[in-house]
Amino acid sequence: MMKSSAVYSSWFLVVAFLLSSVVDLQPTSAFTAMKKSPSTSRSQSSSSTSLNTLPKLIVFDLDNTIWTPELYQLRKLQRNNQAPVAGRDVELLPGFQDLLDNYLPELQQKGVEFGVASRTKSVEWAHALLGQFDLQSLFSHVQIFPGHKRQHFQKIQQSSGYDYHEMLFLDDARDGRYGNCEPVSQLGCFSVHCPNGLTTSKILLDALDYYKEWNKQPGTIMEADGSLSVSGGFDRSLPQERITGSIHMVKDDKKYGFIRYRQGKSRDIFFHFNNIDMSLWDKLAPGLEVSFRMQRDAKNGKTMATEIRLEGEEGAVDDSDFVEAKCFSMNNPFAALLANGYKTLETRNGTMFEVHPPGTILCLHVGQRIYPDGDKHLDIMKRDESLSDEDIQSLKQMPQGYGKGNIVAIMELGKTYLTTTKERSRPEFERQAAAYGADSGKYATEIRRVAYLKRPVRQSGQPGIFKVRIPADAIPEGWELAPEASSSSQEPVNGERVA
C-alpha cells in the first residue's frame, strides 16, 4: 500500500506540473487580467502595461457603435422640430458604458487619448448628445461631418500628430459603399469591426490585446468575434517610404491630377483631391513639390498617391497664412443673388442659423447644382421696374472663377426669427428672399452685409455649417472673423436647402 501510494503521489505531482505548465503558456496581459476581474485588477495592470503596448489614440464611431439608435432613424423628431434627449431617445450601448465606467479612465491615465470619427448628417444632434452624455471632456479629437471616413482620419492625424499605426478604430460598418473599417485600415490604422456596436466591453479589450502583437500591417481588421483579416488595397510590393515628386497636371473640375516622380525613370501617378488637405487645394499647380505614399486602388488595382504633403513641410501649414471660418453651401442662382447683395434674407425650414447670434461671420460656398425653383426668382425680380433684363442677368452671375466648388464670399448675419406663411408672402419679404412665401423656409435669417473674397478658395461643400481654413490674404479689407469662428469644429446640420 505504501508503494502504491508513492506511485499515485508521483503521478499526481507530474499531472500537477503539466497543468501548471499549460496555464503558464496561456497568453497574459494587463487587459486579459482586467477582463477577468475589472474591480480587482486595475492596480495590478498599472505596473505591467507600458505605453509601448497601447495605441496612443482610440477613435470611436458614434451611431450603432457607442450609442443606439442611429440618428437618421429619428426623423420624426426632426419633423417636429425636436432634438433627441440622451437616455430617452438615444442610449449608450452596454459595452461602451462598461468601458466608460471601468476601463477608459485608466487608459486615459496611461496617456491614451480618445477621439470620434462620425459621418452622420445630424452633426448638431451628435455634438449635443456628446454633451448630454458628459463625453465632451473624454474625446480630445472630434470629427463629425458627412463624407468619407478617410477624410475624418486625415484631419485627426494632422491635429494629433500621431501616425495611423498608433491609432485604434472601432466602427459598425466594415466595407462596401458605406464601409469604414476597410478604408481606414488601409491608411494603416488597426480597425475593429463591431457590426452590432459595443454590446460588450470585451470587443475593445480583445482588440487591445491583439494590438500588442500587431505587426503594423495596413489593412488589418479585427472582427467582434476576435478573428483577424487583412483587407485589400495594401500591397507590400509597393514602396513603404514616402516618395518625392512634383505636381504634373491638375484637373480642377474633376478634382484629380497626376504627380511626376522618378524611380529609375520618370513616371506619373494619379491622385485625387480627397488625399490632400483641403487647405492646400488652392495651392495645387504644376511644378509644386510634394511627397506622398503609394497605395493600390482597391477598385481598379492601379497605383495611386495618398497622404500627399508639401515637400519639406511634413504636411504642416503655416497657421499665420490661414484663418478659420464657418461656412455654408448654397446652390446658384441664390448663391450669386446673395453674394451680389440682392438677396438679403436666407430662409430655411431647419434651425441651422438660429444658434448663431447677430454679428456672426460666415463664408459662402457655391454648390455643384442649380437650385430647381422653376425660375420663380425671375418673376419676383421682374416686379422691380428699376431692374433691366441686363441687371437681372448681372445679379445672377459671379466674377470669373467664382463658381461651383469654391468659397466665394464672406457675410455677416443678422437676427434669425420664425415667420408665418402670411408674413413670408408679403412682397417686400419675397423680394428680400428672392422666393415666393409658399416656397420659403419658416426660419428667416437677415444678411447684414456681404463681400466677395479677394480670390475664390477651392473647397468641397458639406451639409449644414462647417469649419474651413481660408488664406488670410483672401479676406477682403474691413472684415474680421469673430472669435467663435475658430472655437468650434463641425456645426449644425438640421435644415434642408430652401430658397
Side-chain angles (χ1 to χ4, degrees):
M1 288 293 293
M2 294 180 59
K3 182 176 181 181
S4 176
S5 297
V7 171
Y8 286 137
S9 298
S10 299
W11 277 108
F12 176 80
L13 291 173
V14 172
V15 171
F17 173 77
L18 290 175
L19 286 173
S20 65
S21 299
V22 171
V23 172
D24 289 340
L25 289 173
Q26 298 303 309
T28 59
S29 74
F31 290 98
T32 302
M34 289 170 69
K35 285 182 284 184
K36 292 178 181 178
S37 181
S39 61
T40 61
S41 63
R42 296 170 69 81
S43 60
Q44 297 173 3
S45 66
S46 300
S47 61
S48 58
T49 304
S50 69
L51 284 173
N52 293 330
T53 65
L54 295 172
K56 293 184 177 179
L57 177 61
I58 299 175
V59 182
F60 297 88
D61 175 44
L62 294 178
D63 285 0
N64 202 39
T65 298
I66 75 168
W67 65 41
T68 187
E70 298 192 55
L71 297 187
Y72 81 87
Q73 297 175 294
L74 302 176
R75 295 191 187 97
K76 185 177 180 180
L77 291 176
Q78 185 173 348
R79 289 195 295 268
N80 294 331
N81 284 321
Q82 297 176 330
V85 176
R88 184 191 71 185
D89 305 300
V90 179
E91 295 182 350
L92 296 179
L93 287 164
F96 183 76
Q97 184 65 64
D98 186 31
L99 290 168
L100 196 61
D101 294 339
N102 295 306
Y103 305 104
L104 299 190
E106 183 177 352
L107 287 169
Q108 204 168 31
Q109 291 176 4
K110 294 178 181 296
V112 178
E113 297 180 33
F114 303 101
V116 167
S118 171
R119 58 195 295 183
T120 179
K121 293 182 179 179
S122 302
V123 180
E124 183 181 34
W125 285 2
H127 280 288
L129 287 166
L130 288 176
Q132 292 177 36
F133 282 120
D134 197 23
L135 295 174
Q136 289 177 321
S137 60
L138 175 69
F139 296 119
S140 53
H141 303 280
V142 178
Q143 294 294 334
I144 305 176
F145 59 89
H148 201 290
K149 203 145 284 192
R150 279 197 302 262
Q151 295 175 331
H152 296 71
F153 270 81
Q154 287 166 357
K155 290 179 178 294
I156 288 173
Q157 193 276 328
Q158 291 162 7
S159 66
S160 69
Y162 297 140
D163 289 333
Y164 291 119
H165 71 262
E166 296 176 306
M167 305 180 197
L168 188 149
F169 171 53
L170 300 99
D171 198 292
D172 65 302
R174 190 184 196 282
D175 48 28
R177 181 178 180 183
Y178 300 106
N180 298 316
C181 291
E182 184 172 276
V184 171
S185 72
Q186 290 171 6
L187 290 174
C189 177
F190 187 94
S191 296
V192 182
H193 177 219
C194 40
N196 299 314
L198 285 165
T199 54
T200 170
S201 58
K202 185 176 184 295
I203 296 173
L204 175 58
L205 301 178
D206 284 347
L208 290 170
D209 280 339
Y210 275 116
Y211 183 86
K212 290 178 58 180
E213 308 299 329
W214 181 43
N215 62 3
K216 298 182 176 57
Q217 180 175 358
T220 302
I221 299 175
M222 189 198 94
E223 298 294 335
D225 62 4
S227 61
L228 288 177
S229 64
V230 178
S231 65
F234 176 74
D235 188 341
R236 286 198 174 277
S237 67
L238 299 177
Q240 301 305 299
E241 69 278 3
R242 297 190 66 81
I243 302 170
T244 58
S246 61
I247 302 294
H248 177 58
M249 183 267 285
V250 178
K251 286 284 188 180
D252 290 337
D253 56 335
K254 302 293 186 181
K255 296 290 187 293
Y256 74 85
F258 289 90
I259 298 172
R260 178 154 292 178
Y261 69 102
R262 180 172 292 278
Q263 279 193 337
K265 63 179 182 178
S266 181
R267 306 168 186 266
D268 289 343
I269 187 169
F270 171 88
F271 73 88
H272 194 277
F273 279 30
N274 286 341
N275 290 313
I276 302 178
D277 187 270
M278 289 179 180
S279 63
L280 302 179
W281 284 10
D282 65 318
K283 292 187 177 182
L284 294 181
L288 180 69
E289 294 186 359
V290 297
S291 66
F292 62 93
R293 294 189 187 279
M294 192 178 293
Q295 179 176 302
R296 198 171 300 280
D297 191 325
K299 293 182 179 179
N300 56 31
K302 297 181 179 179
T303 55
M304 59 184 294
T306 64
E307 300 182 43
I308 301 167
R309 303 173 183 171
L310 297 186
E311 173 60 12
E313 298 185 16
E314 288 303 308
V317 180
D318 186 351
D319 288 336
S320 64
D321 293 337
F322 291 84
V323 291
E324 289 186 348
K326 294 176 180 177
C327 185
F328 76 102
S329 187
M330 178 186 289
N331 291 319
N332 277 324
F334 297 104
L337 294 176
L338 193 156
N340 287 320
Y342 178 85
K343 180 178 169 65
T344 56
L345 279 179
E346 170 62 3
T347 68
R348 303 263 168 159
N349 273 329
T351 58
M352 187 173 81
F353 294 109
E354 190 177 30
V355 296
H356 300 288
T360 297
I361 304 298
L362 294 181
C363 290
L364 174 65
H365 173 271
V366 183
Q368 297 290 338
R369 297 181 295 175
I370 300 297
Y371 188 78
D373 79 326
D375 285 340
K376 293 179 183 179
H377 64 283
L378 290 178
D379 297 335
I380 293 172
M381 297 179 76
K382 288 178 179 179
R383 293 176 184 172
D384 189 345
E385 296 180 356
S386 67
L387 291 178
S388 66
D389 290 343
E390 290 76 14
D391 292 333
I392 291 174
Q393 289 305 313
S394 177
L395 288 171
K396 292 179 60 176
Q397 295 177 353
M398 293 183 178
Q400 186 175 1
Y402 289 70
K404 299 177 181 179
N406 287 284
I407 301 172
V408 299
I410 188 171
M411 71 189 70
E412 180 183 345
L413 299 184
K415 66 178 180 179
T416 296
Y417 54 96
L418 185 64
T419 65
T420 65
T421 303
K422 182 178 180 180
E423 292 171 334
R424 295 194 299 273
S425 299
R426 293 170 181 167
E428 180 57 22
F429 189 103
E430 290 181 334
R431 193 219 68 75
Q432 292 178 303
Y436 286 114
D439 299 327
S440 297
K442 58 187 177 183
Y443 289 94
T445 301
E446 298 172 347
I447 308 299
R448 287 181 176 175
R449 59 182 178 131
V450 64
Y452 278 105
L453 297 181
K454 289 183 178 180
R455 55 188 173 90
V457 178
R458 283 197 296 267
Q459 171 76 40
S460 289
Q462 298 175 22
I465 295 178
F466 51 98
K467 192 170 72 173
V468 295
R469 287 161 58 86
I470 306 291
D473 59 6
I475 304 296
E477 285 77 12
W479 289 83
E480 291 185 6
L481 293 172
E484 68 170 13
S486 61
S487 63
S488 62
S489 53
Q490 298 301 325
E491 286 286 346
V493 173
N494 266 349
E496 70 273 18
R497 173 69 186 99
V498 180

